[in-house]
Structure formats: structure tokens, C-alpha cells
Amino acid sequence: MAFRISAKQAARYPGLRARLGAERTPRTTRTHSAAPRSSSPSYVQWDAHGEVGGARHWVIDLPDMELINANDRGHWSRRQRLTASIREAASALARAERIPRLTRARVVYVVKPKARTRVFDPSNWSLSAKAAVDGLQDAGVFEDDNAAVVTGVDPRAGERQDGAHIRMSLVIIDQGRREEQ
């Protein structure tokens, strides 16, 4: 397998081509009929049962609302407003679900793209997930959202869905014993 590196990369890192066994290969332009499309899906959907297993967990589906994308370079006040709305929604939903206070937990956020989305990166919505975890802390699910309490906030790709916006669900997985209130 040959790696393709540019002349600029080769100049920046002397000996890179030799170490990789790479050569500079020119890019070819493809037309629509040049390469058949693969029939495999463009991303792998998350297998909730396989990862959660028998652990005690709760699922919160955020409403159809605008989320914060890490690639979005919008105005800071718009991001602040979106952060506050996501945080408030997650807090209200956690209270409605009556999620108890957890001493250790892992949060998996499942990003559900629009029906016509071909490829996407679920980690781009990490800012939205952070706002939602802060909302869980506001609701009293966590005393604090530091690394000793929230062991991870992991992105996963969900199934495609119809709607105006990309949707997000939070799966809170209990990893410790329940703290008595």
C-alpha cells in the first residue's frame, strides 16, 4: 500500500517518503461513472445493547432543537444562547425522568443525523454534549462533572431521522453505587 504525500509535506519532513515507503502520486479526477458507489453504509450505527449490556442506564432524548457544531464559527452570543437552551432542556428532562444522584457514570451521546446526511462526524457535537452534561449536573444527577464522577462523554452515530435539525440522545450509564439522598 502506497501512501500519498504532497511535495510540501515531503519538504517539511525530510525522509518521510522513505520511512512510509511512499511516493508522490498525482491525483486523478473522477467522473460520476468512473467508480461505482459502495453499497455499505457511510457510517456504523451504535449498538446500544452491546455496549450498555445489563448496566443500569437512562436515555434522554433532547427535543428537536438546534445543536452546537464544533466546526461552526458563529458569533459567541449565538453559541452562548444555544448552550443555555441545551443545558436547560437536559436539566428539565433529567428531572422529569427522576434520575437519581450517581457517584460514577459514563455518558454516551448519540447523534442522529438528518435523513439525507451521507457522512458526518458525531464528535463535532461535543460542545452540545458538554452543555447537556452540565444540565445533568444542574439537575442533581452528578455532584460535579469532573473526571472522577463522569468517566467519559463518548460520541456515537445514531440512526438517520426526519426533522429540521440533527437530534441528540444522552445515555447515562451508572458505573458506581447509588448515593443516598
Side-chain angles (χ1 to χ4, degrees), residues 43-65:
Y43 66 92
V44 178
Q45 292 181 12
W46 183 51
D47 176 24
H49 182 67
E51 192 168 341
V52 174
R56 190 168 71 144
H57 67 282
W58 296 265
V59 178
I60 294 177
D61 293 321
L62 292 179
D64 191 8
M65 61 191 311

Side-chain angles (χ1 to χ4, degrees), residues 10-173:
R12 186 180 303 156
Y13 305 106
L16 180 64
R17 282 190 182 149
R19 279 185 296 179
L20 294 177
E23 57 187 55
R24 186 166 196 291
T25 55
R27 289 188 173 210
T28 58
T29 57
R30 292 187 186 184
T31 61
H32 281 297
S33 60
R37 292 188 180 251
S38 68
S39 60
S40 65
S42 56
Y43 66 92
V44 178
Q45 292 181 12
W46 183 51
D47 176 24
H49 182 67
E51 192 168 341
V52 174
R56 190 168 71 144
H57 67 282
W58 296 265
V59 178
I60 294 177
D61 293 321
L62 292 179
D64 191 8
M65 61 191 311
E66 190 173 358
L67 300 173
I68 307 165
N69 187 327
N71 291 333
D72 185 15
R73 302 290 183 235
H75 195 267
W76 63 268
S77 64
R78 180 176 168 269
R79 272 195 321 268
Q80 187 176 16
R81 190 173 56 253
L82 291 174
T83 300
S85 67
I86 294 167
R87 188 173 181 159
E88 185 179 325
S91 178
L93 291 168
R95 285 187 182 107
E97 287 284 324
R98 297 180 186 255
I99 301 175
R101 181 176 292 266
L102 303 172
T103 56
R104 288 192 63 189
R106 184 167 67 108
V107 178
V108 175
Y109 65 96
V110 182
V111 180
K112 301 172 186 173
K114 297 177 193 175
R116 296 184 59 101
T117 302
R118 288 188 9 199
V119 292
F120 78 107
D121 182 4
S123 61
N124 283 342
W125 282 269
S126 60
L127 298 174
S128 297
K130 171 62 177 150
V133 169
D134 288 342
L136 295 175
Q137 181 184 347
D138 293 345
V141 175
F142 311 122
E143 183 178 334
D144 191 10
D145 62 349
N146 62 33
V149 177
V150 179
T151 61
V153 180
D154 305 320
R156 298 291 183 269
E159 62 188 35
R160 291 183 170 96
Q161 48 78 43
D162 293 324
H165 302 103
I166 289 178
R167 308 271 314 256
M168 180 183 289
S169 296
L170 301 173
V171 181
I172 301 112
I173 305 167

